[in-house]
């Protein structure tokens, strides 16, 4: 049972996951959590560093989508600015939105990875969808009471 919560790979942050690395693993589609994975809870719009990372993926023809458990307003505000598809209230670790995102990207399971920070939602959900799972540490711990 423990393997369901163990990511295949771990990186110190999202920016260490380069297009060259993804290509070397046969990955042409990336799904990612939003909050505390690619942006902290307080970041409403993408940083320039995030824009550059997404553009680097696009330049290498690696498709990207966000699959988040957060509300539509939060996810849309961030993702529309990057012109990337997004899925909100995903109810991870359920797989339905992960599969929808893959279908929208026309991605096959073996060429798709999921990046997230949480073991119970991101890693477990992606494992259940039988995807390569990449975990990064949370960008910033959530403040108590939020």
């Amino acid at each position: 049972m423990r393997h369901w919560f163990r990511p295949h790979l771990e990186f110190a942050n999202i920016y260490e996951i380069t297009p060259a690395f993804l290509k070397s693993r046969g990955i042409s589609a990336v799904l990612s959590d939003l909050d505390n994975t690619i942006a902290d809870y307080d970041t409403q719009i993408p940083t320039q560093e995030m824009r550059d990372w997404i553009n680097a993926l696009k330049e290498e023809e690696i498709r990207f989508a966000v699959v988040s458990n957060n509300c539509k307003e939060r996810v849309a505000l961030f993702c529309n600015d990057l012109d990337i598809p997004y899925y909100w209230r995903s109810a991870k670790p359920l797989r339905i939105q992960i599969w929808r995102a893959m279908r929208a990207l026309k991605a096959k399971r073996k060429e798709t990875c999921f990046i997230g920070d949480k073991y119970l939602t991101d890693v477990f959900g992606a494992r259940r969808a039988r995807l390569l799972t990449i975990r990064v540490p949370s960008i910033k711990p959530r403040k108590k009471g939020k």
Side-chain angles (χ1 to χ4, degrees):
M1 179 72 171
R2 279 184 272 173
H3 84 279
W4 289 103
F5 300 96
R6 189 176 309 134
H8 294 102
L9 302 164
E10 294 194 62
F11 285 85
N13 61 60
I14 193 102
Y15 304 109
E16 287 189 356
I17 307 167
T18 65
F21 170 78
L22 294 169
K23 289 264 190 180
S24 76
R25 297 293 299 240
I27 300 298
S28 60
V30 174
L31 306 179
S32 178
D33 178 44
L34 172 59
D35 291 314
N36 257 345
T37 298
I38 62 173
D40 66 45
Y41 288 101
D42 300 322
T43 301
Q44 299 300 310
I45 59 171
T47 63
Q48 187 58 50
E49 188 176 25
M50 176 53 55
R51 290 175 197 283
D52 293 344
W53 187 76
I54 295 289
N55 286 333
L57 294 178
K58 288 179 179 180
E59 285 173 10
E60 293 296 323
E61 298 181 357
I62 297 173
R63 301 173 309 274
F64 184 85
V66 166
V67 180
S68 174
N69 283 350
N70 210 325
C71 66
K72 182 178 182 180
E73 295 77 20
R74 159 68 173 139
V75 181
L77 180 64
F78 190 90
C79 294
N80 283 338
D81 201 44
L82 288 168
D83 192 30
I84 55 173
Y86 57 89
Y87 299 83
W88 66 93
R89 294 234 190 270
S90 295
K92 293 175 293 179
L94 298 180
R95 299 170 283 195
I96 189 75
Q97 292 290 55
I98 293 171
W99 286 338
R100 282 185 180 145
M102 289 174 61
R103 237 184 339 267
L105 295 178
K106 296 180 171 69
K108 295 178 180 158
R109 184 178 53 80
K110 291 188 180 210
E111 66 184 28
T112 306
C113 75
F114 193 99
I115 304 170
D117 67 310
K118 300 286 186 241
Y119 291 101
L120 184 61
T121 55
D122 302 323
V123 174
F124 185 41
R127 280 285 208 154
R128 293 184 71 227
R130 298 184 185 265
L131 300 180
L132 175 72
T133 56
I134 301 176
R135 185 183 171 277
V136 294
S138 296
I139 293 172
K140 183 164 82 172
R142 197 167 198 179
K143 296 175 185 166
K144 294 195 187 249
K146 280 196 171 182

